[in-house]
Amino acid sequence: GMFANTCMRNGLKVFTKAEYPSLIRGGHNFLTITVDEENVYSHSNEVNLLIALDKLTVENHLDEVKGGIIYDTSSFTVELPEEILNFGIPLKKIAEEYGSVLYRNTVAIGAALRLIGLDLMELEKIITEKFSKKGQEIVDSNIKAAKAGYDFVKGRQFPFMFVRKETENRILINGNDAVVAGAVKAGCKF
């Protein structure tokens, strides 16, 4: 969600879809985010950049990847085909340096932003908004973790780049919230 909002606030068009299958028998959940400079109306089956926090994610989605994979080298190893760009990062190790293994997704988001050509300015604002109630230390640690991921991939080339555009007055909203907002705007009172 933070990655999608960061892209949207950088003037890009964003479309997300969450998969939450039953996890009782060890299912796999994931979020697909489609980002483009033009309007996005649906997803494609092609994944340009996969962020994998576990090996199962790589195994389940490797055949869809047409770009690169960010994965946690401090938690698992993978053999990637030559045509897939390898962005192995010690996400867990870096996250722990800033206080918690929970920051590894923030490290990965920082790296992803650098790879697609965006800076950290909007992500820092989103981190501040999201974590300010948890205290300044949590905010600062997340921002430092994002910067560490951003710096880790410095100089690496990725073929899918974007340029920040001036944003319109837009929001990122899911379907349920959009229906409720429409009903309220139309005068629904209960």
Side-chain angles (χ1 to χ4, degrees):
M2 288 194 306
F3 180 78
N5 270 303
T6 301
C7 290
M8 188 263 310
R9 290 186 185 185
N10 274 287
L12 302 172
K13 310 298 194 242
V14 179
F15 190 81
T16 67
K17 176 182 79 169
E19 289 286 332
Y20 297 108
S22 172
L23 298 179
I24 293 171
R25 295 186 183 188
H28 169 66
N29 61 16
F30 60 96
L31 178 67
T32 302
I33 303 171
T34 302
V35 176
D36 203 334
E37 292 170 349
E38 304 300 322
N39 287 334
V40 179
Y41 300 105
S42 67
H43 295 288
S44 71
N45 292 330
E46 186 174 291
V47 174
N48 301 124
L49 184 61
L50 177 69
I51 296 176
L53 300 179
D54 60 30
K55 193 170 187 171
L56 180 62
T57 301
V58 176
E59 293 168 354
N60 285 355
H61 301 283
L62 184 61
D63 61 333
E64 302 164 22
V65 177
K66 304 296 183 216
I69 299 178
I70 294 172
Y71 67 94
D72 189 359
T73 60
S74 54
S75 297
F76 59 94
T77 60
V78 293
E79 296 280 331
L80 297 178
E82 192 175 295
E83 66 272 9
I84 294 178
L85 297 170
N86 184 330
F87 299 113
I89 302 170
L91 300 173
K92 181 179 176 186
K93 182 178 179 233
I94 293 171
E96 288 173 337
E97 288 175 23
Y98 294 99
S100 173
V101 69
L102 297 176
Y103 302 155
R104 67 190 179 136
N105 62 340
T106 307
V107 176
I109 292 169
L113 290 173
R114 165 79 71 145
L115 291 172
I116 67 169
L118 300 177
D119 65 32
L120 291 177
M121 180 179 64
E122 293 300 333
L123 178 60
E124 289 175 5
K125 291 177 189 174
I126 290 168
I127 288 171
T128 301
E129 292 165 12
K130 182 173 177 129
F131 297 115
S132 63
K133 289 182 181 175
K134 294 186 178 194
Q136 192 61 43
E137 183 180 341
I138 300 294
V139 171
D140 293 343
S141 295
N142 270 280
I143 289 172
K144 288 175 185 173
K147 183 163 179 14
Y150 192 85
D151 291 342
F152 193 90
V153 295
K154 183 178 182 178
R156 300 290 309 270
Q157 300 299 310
F158 189 63
F160 303 96
M161 301 284 288
F162 296 102
V163 175
R164 177 181 169 77
K165 295 182 175 185
E166 289 302 315
T167 59
E168 305 155 10
N169 191 11
R170 296 182 297 139
I171 59 171
L172 185 62
I173 189 169
N174 67 38
N176 291 338
D177 292 345
V179 169
V180 170
V184 169
K185 184 76 173 165
C188 184
K189 303 241 188 264
F190 80 96

